[in-house]
Structures are given as C-alpha cells and as structure tokens.
Amino acid sequence: MSTLINPTTGVELDHSPASATLVEADAAIARAHDAFPAWRDVAPGERARLLRAFAAIVDAHLEELAQLEVLNAGHTIGNARWEAGNVRDCLNYYSAAPERLFGRQIPVAGGTDVTFHEPLGVVGIIVPWNFPMPIAAWGFAPALAAGNTVVLKPAELTPLTAIRIGELAVEAGLPEGVLTIVPGKGSVVGERFVTHPLVRKVCFTGSTGVGKKIMAGCADQVKRVTLELGGKSANIVFADTDVAAAAASAPSAVFDNAGQDCCARSRILVQRSAYDEFVGRLETAVRAFRVIDPADEQSEMGPMVSAGQRDAVQAYLDTATVAFTGSAPDGPGWWLPPTVVETTDTRDAIWQEEVFGPVVAVMAFDDEDEAITLANDSDYGLSGSIFTSDVGRALRVARRVEAGNLSVNSHSSVRYWTPFGGYKQSGLGRELGPDAPNAFTEEKNVFIAH
Ligand code: NAD
C-alpha cells in the first residue's frame, strides 16, 4: 500500500499496511468460505451474543478508533466519535436479527409451505474513504447477523480503522475467517471480490463510475450486488419557512466531512422572494464555520482526505465564479475553505457533478413545480431536504423528489434503523433498517406434502 499521510499536516504516518496481492485476496476468500458452514450453523442466540460482544469491544475502544480516524482521514473528533459509536450501534441493532430471521408459512392445498432466509455464503464489502467506519459496519453487521462470512476491503487511503475493527472482532470471539479485512487496491482486491465465484454478493459503496463496472462484472455470474453511489442532493428552501433557521443549518448539511459526503446537500434551491435574505444569512453562517484542526473539540470541518481530492475540487473552483468563502488554515495539509457559488445555468458542471468537496451551488426558483423539476434534473437521487412551514407542501414535494432519503425542516438522513439508498444512478438496493439482513439472504420456499 502506498504510504499513508495525515491529511491535516501532510506528514507521513508511521505505519502503512501492506496491500494484499491477488494470491492473498484468494486465500482470504478461501478462509471465509471455509468458515461459512460453522458460522451459518451457530445457534441464533449465540450468534446474537457474539455480535453484542463485538459491539461492546468496539465501544470499549471508541476513543482509540476515533483518534485513528482523525489521524488517517482528517475527520473532526466529534464526527469520528459518532462514527465509531455508529459501528457499535449497528452491531447492537443487528445482533437482534439472528433470532428474528423469520420465514413465512403460506396456505397451500395438500401440504404445508414454508419459506426460509438462507445466508448467501461469502459476502465481499468494498468501502470508500469518506466514512470508513460506518460504511463498513452498514455492510458487515447485517451480513454477519444473517449468517454470512465477510471479506472487507477498505479504501486505499483509509484502511486503519477497518483493520483495527477486524482485530476487535476476533478479540470479541468471532471465529477466525468470519470477518476478514483485506486492505489493498480496488483493481486487485476489489475486482477479485467481483470475479471470484465463491464471493456470492458484492456490497459496494463508492463512485458511480466504479459502481457501474462492478455491476457489469457481477452480471457475469449473476452475482448479487448492492450499490451505494454518488449524490448531488438538493436542499429546497421555500419562502414560507423560517429562513434564518434554514440558512443557519445549510453549511453543516454540505460542509460536514469537508463535503466528502454522498448525502451532502450540494445544491441549494431557494424561492426567489426569500433568495436575498437567505444568501445574506448563509454568508454569515459560512464565515462563522470553524475550519480548524480536526483534533480540536470545536472543529466543524477538517481538511480534504488527500492532495488529489483537494486538487480535483480546486479544478472545479478554477472555472466557477465564487460568491464567498469561509476560512481555512494556511500551511501544510489538504485544506480548502467552505465555498459558495451562485448559479443560474443548470448546465454548469458545479450544478450537475458531484464535486465531493466543500462547495455548494445556490440557485433561485419561482414555484413548487419548478423546485421539483430542478431538484430532479440530476442523474443522481440519494437524499435531499425540504424547508417549509406548510405540511401539505412538505409531503407533496417529498413524494415527488426522486431520492431515497429526504428530510423535512432538517438535514438528517442516515439512521441505522431506517432504510438508506439511492434512486437513479445513486445506487441499487437499500442498506440499514429492519430489512437489511434479508438483503444478505436467499429466500427459499419448501413445500411439504401431507
Ligand atoms: P471509488 O469508487 O474510487 O472507490 C471506492 C472503493 O472501491 C475503494 O475501496 C476502491 O479501492 C474500490 N475500487 C476502485 N476501483 C475498483 C474496481 N475496479 N473494482 C473494485 N473495487 C474498486 O470511490 P471513492 O473515491 O473512494 O469514494 C467517493 C465516492 O463514494 C463518491 O462518489 C461518493 O458519493 C461515494 N459514496 C457513496 C455513498 C452512498 O452511500 N451512496 C457513501 C459514501 C460514498
């Protein structure tokens, strides 16, 4: 693996894990396959107990995991603690699934008909660098609960927390081979999950471009696949809302995690009669946004994950007309200030493309229909927000916006106990929520003649 760098300082980290070779990836898959029959046959209550033990040990190492993420990914310490806690919470939530993996009994003539949810076997989980801990857990917690074994590839830039979580799983008592972390390249380890016949499902989170390749590759074996891809989510602000509150909450909805968030509300649509007031208040809020050392408890935004990501975002800004920015530290590290662009042309790259950095485009609209048309004028459909004091309008608009996760008068979108996923090119399938374990099973129907 190439050398890991602390994004806050630009200084190399002491240890960079080795990249797995193709042979090592195959060996990990083989071990996961060998571990599968025994894991499938662990009694439901015992599998539940092991997952709760795993959750407890993650909780006991919460601060260590959080500090590791600040170091490796430049996440603010507040976010990193939430992320490690989210791993614990996902494990606790899905630890209730083994005893509740219900089938159905369906009335038929001449016998009894029952269904079973059978685990798939080895599941391959491919994780991006933007939320290394939660996205890993959204895959492995329900997959393990349903009786599968897991091989998991963290992103090249951010493998450290996943490797540590893999060690904690073994300490908690999960048998060897049940959860194996395989750090390495997407083109080697990730592709092997797609091509290896013993991997029965690929659960991919990352860019839409790579997701399309993975879906095409999985087609070859009719391999099960879940895709969580990019986004260009709209924050729709109607003039009948509390404009001050909407403007105050808009920066964190897009600049959290330095905008490296698939759910970032990176397009703000504001009804024309409230536009000037909103943009004025937004400027105040953006200038006050604390972009400082992510290890500082007060930090609201840290650096970009890498020099490459910072340069990619800067390339968008080089051709855009910036309205105003917040601040960012000078000196080493991959910093960019939160940046606001006012747009009138929906063909602008900054309006259409997922910038994946601390950049937001703002545009005016006249009425509800136009707001919905503009919001849906995107290949993506992951999340979005609607600010209005009219409950009828909130529901009308929420039903018509083509996105998987919407919030009204707030920006929350990911809870481990509610479903998460995208419309259109934002993805395929859903993660999280009560049904997630079923996505890691085959439904089997058995008829017993009387
Ligand atoms: P990426 O697609 O470059 O990489 C994601 C993962 O895929 C990495 O682990 C990478 O090594 C691996 N990979 C790369 N090429 C591969 C290949 N050919 N075969 C198999 N695996 C391969 O994405 P990224 O730059 O790490 O992450 C940012 C992207 O992720 C953004 O587009 C963002 O919107 C998206 N994302 C989506 C969600 C969601 O839930 N929808 C969540 C987080 C991030």
Side-chain angles (χ1 to χ4, degrees):
M1 184 151 291
S2 47
T3 313
L4 299 179
I5 294 177
N6 179 343
T8 306
T9 59
V11 174
E12 277 183 21
L13 300 187
D14 290 343
H15 300 293
S16 299
S19 274
T21 61
L22 198 59
V23 172
E24 288 164 338
D26 280 357
I29 293 165
R31 280 197 305 277
H33 180 68
D34 291 346
F36 171 62
W39 181 246
R40 176 193 56 202
D41 292 342
V42 170
E46 174 63 6
R47 199 154 67 226
R49 192 194 63 75
L50 285 165
L51 292 176
R52 284 195 292 272
F54 187 5
I57 207 161
V58 167
D59 191 46
H61 291 79
L62 191 142
E63 190 61 24
E64 176 198 340
L65 289 165
Q67 295 292 348
L68 206 51
E69 208 66 283
V70 174
L71 191 73
N72 191 181
H75 288 197
T76 63
I77 182 64
N79 278 9
R81 287 185 186 126
W82 180 88
E83 291 159 19
N86 187 252
V87 176
R88 171 204 57 213
D89 294 344
C90 283
L91 283 164
N92 273 328
Y93 180 67
Y94 290 112
S95 77
E99 306 104 317
R100 294 170 178 79
L101 215 55
F102 302 129
R104 288 181 292 184
Q105 181 264 313
I106 299 169
V108 290
T112 298
D113 193 282
V114 286
T115 67
F116 298 92
H117 284 283
E118 306 282 17
L120 301 169
V122 180
V123 171
I125 299 174
I126 303 174
V127 180
W129 45 257
N130 60 335
F131 288 107
M133 285 192 276
I135 291 172
W138 301 352
F140 71 64
L144 295 174
N148 303 277
T149 56
V150 169
V151 285
L152 184 144
K153 193 199 89 62
E156 290 90 324
L157 288 170
T158 55
L160 298 184
T161 47
I163 291 171
R164 188 71 188 113
I165 287 169
E167 293 166 357
L168 296 176
V170 174
E171 274 182 51
L174 268 74
E176 294 277 353
V178 167
L179 172 62
T180 310
I181 311 302
V182 195
K185 289 188 173 169
S187 57
V188 178
V189 179
E191 279 192 23
R192 194 60 185 136
F193 290 0
V194 174
T195 59
H196 200 302
L198 290 180
V199 177
R200 294 292 161 78
K201 172 164 184 165
V202 173
C203 197
F204 172 82
T205 305
S207 59
T208 296
V210 173
K212 288 178 185 177
K213 275 205 254 174
I214 287 185
M215 190 172 172
C218 285
D220 201 41
Q221 295 167 24
V222 197
K223 189 172 289 196
R224 278 63 180 140
V225 63
T226 300
L227 303 173
E228 297 289 0
L229 308 175
K232 189 73 187 175
S233 299
N235 174 7
I236 308 172
V237 181
F238 288 95
D240 65 13
T241 195
D242 177 345
V243 175
S249 71
S252 58
V254 56
F255 302 139
D256 187 64
N257 205 29
Q260 303 164 121
D261 181 342
C262 50
C263 292
R265 273 51 165 189
S266 55
R267 295 185 296 158
I268 306 180
L269 287 158
V270 189
Q271 196 158 22
R272 202 172 302 280
S273 57
Y275 186 86
D276 289 344
E277 181 193 349
F278 179 89
V279 172
R281 290 181 184 275
L282 180 66
E283 179 166 0
T284 306
V286 169
R287 292 198 191 282
F289 209 67
R290 286 186 298 272
V291 184
I292 54 175
D293 180 354
D296 188 317
E297 302 278 343
Q298 301 299 314
S299 182
E300 292 179 285
M301 179 179 134
M304 311 290 301
V305 74
S306 66
Q309 188 63 20
R310 186 191 56 180
D311 294 348
V313 175
Q314 185 61 53
Y316 280 101
L317 296 175
D318 290 344
T319 58
T321 309
V322 170
F324 51 87
T325 73
S327 62
D330 294 328
W334 322 131
W335 297 92
L336 276 178
T339 300
V340 178
V341 176
E342 290 184 82
T343 320
T344 51
D345 190 341
T346 58
R347 289 164 305 179
D348 283 354
I350 219 143
W351 184 259
Q352 287 293 340
E353 294 175 23
E354 182 182 46
V355 176
F356 224 54
V359 181
V360 69
V362 191
M363 190 181 282
F365 69 87
D366 287 308
D367 59 21
E368 199 175 301
D369 280 343
E370 191 189 10
I372 292 164
T373 303
L374 286 169
N376 289 341
D377 178 26
S378 171
D379 289 337
Y380 295 114
L382 190 54
S383 58
S385 305
I386 301 153
F387 280 78
T388 175
S389 57
D390 175 341
V391 70
R393 164 175 278 162
L395 284 169
R396 272 196 311 274
V397 176
R399 294 296 299 269
R400 285 180 58 196
V401 171
E402 298 164 345
N405 312 273
L406 292 166
S407 47
V408 174
N409 296 331
S410 77
H411 297 292
S412 63
S413 63
V414 188
R415 293 182 179 83
Y416 57 82
W417 65 100
T418 59
F420 175 70
Y423 276 37
K424 300 191 278 188
Q425 295 191 27
S426 283
L428 187 73
R430 292 292 179 270
E431 295 191 290
L432 299 175
D435 300 328
N438 287 348
F440 294 97
T441 64
E442 293 288 0
E443 189 173 25
K444 181 181 285 175
N445 191 66
V446 178
F447 169 73
I448 306 131
H450 290 178

